[in-house]
Amino acid sequence: MYNHFNQYRCTIIRGKSKGEMDNLLPAYAQIIDEITPADKGSFENSFNRLLKRFLPNASIKTLDNHRTEIAGKLFGMYYIDENQNVYTSERTLKFLEDNDQPAFFKDMCFKIQYPNGMDKPATILERINNNISVRPCSLVLSVLLEAKEVGLVLTKNDIGYYILNSLDALQGKAFPNEIVNVIVNDRNEGIIRKIKNPGKASSYNMQHINELLNYLELANLIHIGMEYEVLLNENELNAINYFAKHWDEKLEFDVYSYDLSTVENRKKIGTDWSFYFSKLVDSKEIFTTTAKSLGIPEEKLSKKLGRTDLVALGDEGELFVYEYEKERVKSYNHRLASKVLHLGKTRGLGYDIQSVIAEDGDISEFVKYIEVKSTKRVTAPSIEDDNWIDTINLTRNEWIAANQHSNYYFIYRVYFVRGTVFMYVIKNVKEKVDDGLLRVIPVAYRADFGNSAIDMVIKEARSEYGV
């Protein structure tokens, strides 16, 4: 029987604000991919040095926190093996491939559990002693689905008191429908319940609740209403249902199997958890974020972008820019609209769209070369924020094209965000690099070799399959 009066504060590692986490994720990913694999000492020094470029005023302590607590433990962007070597996680590699930030956070939220190996051994032991065993994000979404069925809108306080601060819920003893029934009864009686910790500020009471809800927001699964209502994103029901059906399954990472009385096992649980948490959930298609799931109005998208089978982010961004450029050029001179070409599938060019300057002056009909770099995220980018940062990858051909076409080469950074689309335009990349406004860092190497470099030839190489 669910007893909501049994309260228990179960915290999670603190992140930054939603906007900061959306901003920092690409920077973390690029840095980690660039410097791994590496031994732990080299990784720590290199990560801090490179992140300092993005956060020039950050102290060593702050940089350490970004590396260990957020990028490492919370986001699971790398893992450290038993030999103290650091490797890029599967979650990070996928993000570098698809630039789908909500999908990254969906994967992270799905694997969050209490208890886990993120915490200090003393905290893990306390949670074991209290029989904690729950997938908090799955339970929250399952309760929200049950509430939706009976027309009940839950608030942050409801989520906090009845679920994330409830011992019965955290022990996995409370069924979603039981929780909803209790809330309905309290509402009918005009009872509003809140987390209480005498002598503590309200921020202490709700801090851990807000943190977890922030991650679910970044995953594009919920949004918070004006009166702090916690609302499901109806366009993400496939992912939400996937979470919800796993709410009562046994935890994948069995913390209870470790004997934490020994130093060796206390180290081992951290290493094992790091490796487990870095692995992707096998749900790539379910977690993929579409423009529709971000709630972008149809009038902002082309008919092609509205297709449910079009999920490749590069395609979405290129089509968006292509249609934008066609309309822009057409409004200047309809005769020039036919000169706007979508060339994204043509390999080796170094740009995706060939357009026309289409501005008053002597160069109005000059060719404009556009490289499109797209991403999906929940929060809108804000260049007014002094801490705003972003990072993209350029291929060798793109860098050559940027130098070759200089003033006529543009990067369109497209952000598909909740409710709309932003584009930031960077003109003349080469000039901005020369002026120190933009940094381009070579991170890949090509090795060419001839017969003089060969040290050994093994003619009889065979695999275990006899090939």
Side-chain angles (χ1 to χ4, degrees):
M1 183 68 180
Y2 168 57
N3 182 358
H4 59 82
F5 294 110
N6 293 331
Q7 292 280 292
Y8 179 87
R9 189 169 186 266
C10 199
T11 59
I12 191 170
I13 290 173
R14 295 193 65 187
K16 301 293 182 180
S17 69
K18 291 191 292 291
E20 281 183 289
M21 288 191 284
D22 254 355
N23 287 340
L24 287 166
L25 179 57
Y28 291 157
Q30 296 287 354
I31 290 170
I32 291 166
D33 186 53
E34 179 181 341
I35 64 178
T36 57
D39 64 83
K40 186 179 178 183
S42 299
F43 175 80
E44 291 174 353
N45 292 331
S46 297
F47 185 100
N48 284 14
R49 173 174 53 82
L50 293 174
L51 188 61
K52 188 79 171 176
R53 294 175 180 173
F54 296 98
L55 303 173
N57 298 320
S59 66
I60 293 175
K61 182 179 180 181
T62 298
L63 295 171
D64 286 342
N65 181 264
H66 279 283
R67 185 189 72 252
T68 60
E69 300 302 299
I70 303 176
K73 292 179 181 178
L74 180 60
F75 286 3
M77 301 187 75
Y78 62 86
Y79 66 94
I80 305 173
D81 69 10
E82 63 275 8
N83 297 316
Q84 298 298 289
N85 293 316
V86 185
Y87 299 91
T88 305
S89 73
E90 289 181 358
R91 186 175 297 123
T92 302
L93 292 173
K94 178 182 176 296
F95 169 69
L96 288 167
E97 179 184 342
D98 63 21
N99 271 262
D100 187 338
Q101 296 190 197
F104 176 96
F105 286 111
K106 287 186 191 87
D107 189 84
M108 179 191 111
C109 285
F110 187 81
K111 297 198 83 169
I112 289 176
Q113 64 172 65
Y114 298 139
N116 56 60
M118 297 182 197
D119 294 314
K120 296 177 181 178
T123 302
I124 298 172
L125 275 171
E126 177 194 313
R127 292 180 180 176
I128 289 174
N129 291 334
N130 281 283
N131 297 315
I132 302 300
S133 180
V134 71
R135 301 166 181 261
C137 296
S138 290
L139 181 57
V140 166
L141 292 174
S142 185
V143 172
L144 286 170
L145 282 173
E146 289 283 346
K148 177 175 174 287
E149 287 297 312
V150 298
L152 180 67
V153 177
L154 303 186
T155 66
K156 279 189 176 184
N157 279 325
D158 295 330
I159 298 294
Y161 179 84
Y162 294 100
I163 307 174
L164 296 178
N165 215 71
S166 164
L167 183 60
D168 285 15
L170 294 169
Q171 290 174 337
K173 295 179 180 179
F175 285 82
N177 64 318
E178 287 184 291
I179 295 171
V180 170
N181 288 339
V182 168
I183 298 173
V184 169
N185 290 336
D186 281 350
R187 290 277 182 89
N188 289 339
E189 294 179 18
I191 298 172
I192 298 175
R193 303 191 189 276
K194 295 183 178 181
I195 300 169
K196 294 180 181 178
N197 285 285
K200 298 289 187 179
S202 59
S203 58
Y204 175 87
N205 296 333
M206 290 298 295
Q207 173 186 303
H208 56 299
I209 312 302
N210 289 327
E211 290 292 332
L212 198 75
L213 292 177
N214 279 346
Y215 307 140
L216 284 170
E217 276 199 276
L218 289 169
N220 197 40
L221 299 175
I222 65 168
H223 58 97
I224 308 299
M226 295 296 291
E227 301 297 324
Y228 300 107
E229 308 103 328
V230 182
L231 306 171
L232 289 170
N233 180 355
E234 301 284 345
N235 294 317
E236 287 275 17
L237 282 180
N238 284 341
I240 290 168
N241 285 322
Y242 184 86
F243 270 75
K245 75 178 184 180
H246 290 87
W247 80 267
D248 60 345
E249 287 187 359
K250 182 180 178 182
L251 301 182
E252 286 189 61
F253 188 85
D254 187 4
V255 175
Y256 286 83
S257 66
Y258 290 81
D259 177 6
L260 297 182
S261 64
T262 68
V263 174
E264 181 181 353
N265 278 350
R266 289 196 291 271
K267 289 181 179 178
K268 182 174 172 53
I269 194 172
T271 301
D272 290 353
W273 169 264
S274 175
F275 181 72
Y276 161 78
F277 196 56
S278 74
K279 295 293 184 181
L280 280 171
V281 177
D282 186 20
S283 55
K284 184 175 181 180
E285 292 185 5
I286 297 173
F287 286 0
T288 296
T289 310
T290 63
K292 180 180 178 181
S293 72
L294 285 165
I296 298 172
E298 289 187 9
E299 61 268 21
K300 291 184 178 289
L301 304 173
S302 71
K303 291 181 179 178
K304 290 181 180 179
L305 277 173
R307 283 166 37 196
T308 57
D309 61 332
L310 184 63
V311 296
L313 181 60
D315 291 346
E316 287 184 324
E318 288 170 23
L319 281 170
F320 187 85
V321 173
Y322 171 64
E323 296 205 355
Y324 168 83
E325 280 294 303
K326 280 186 69 175
E327 288 300 314
R328 185 189 66 84
V329 172
K330 183 179 179 181
S331 66
Y332 177 79
N333 185 333
H334 71 277
R335 177 179 60 84
L336 298 176
S338 62
K339 294 183 178 294
V340 180
L341 306 174
H342 181 200
L343 304 171
K345 300 300 182 185
T346 306
R347 296 175 62 84
L349 290 179
Y351 52 90
D352 300 309
I353 310 291
Q354 182 176 300
S355 186
V356 183
I357 295 298
E359 296 174 1
D360 291 339
D362 296 336
I363 64 170
S364 62
E365 296 192 28
F366 279 30
V367 176
K368 178 180 183 179
Y369 304 92
I370 301 171
E371 174 59 28
V372 181
K373 298 294 183 183
S374 307
T375 190
K376 293 173 185 171
R377 50 186 280 173
V378 169
T379 64
S382 175
I383 56 175
E384 291 78 22
D385 182 354
D386 291 338
N387 294 319
W388 178 78
I389 56 174
D390 199 0
T391 180
I392 58 175
N393 279 332
L394 295 176
T395 66
R396 179 175 180 272
N397 286 335
E398 289 161 6
W399 178 236
I400 290 172
N403 281 270
Q404 180 182 0
H405 301 299
S406 57
N407 200 44
Y408 304 101
Y409 188 89
F410 296 71
I411 292 176
Y412 278 42
R413 181 57 159 160
V414 182
Y415 301 87
F416 292 96
V417 304
R418 182 173 284 169
T420 191
V421 183
F422 285 84
M423 284 196 298
Y424 288 171
V425 179
I426 302 173
K427 179 181 178 182
N428 200 336
V429 174
K430 180 181 182 301
E431 182 178 77
K432 284 188 168 59
V433 171
D434 293 341
D435 291 344
L437 300 176
L438 190 153
R439 286 189 301 272
V440 174
I441 305 166
V443 295
Y445 299 88
R446 187 181 75 184
D448 299 323
F449 62 92
N451 54 11
S452 61
I454 305 300
D455 297 306
M456 183 183 299
V457 177
I458 303 174
K459 295 183 179 180
E460 299 298 324
R462 293 178 181 273
S463 75
E464 59 179 299
Y465 303 106
V467 179

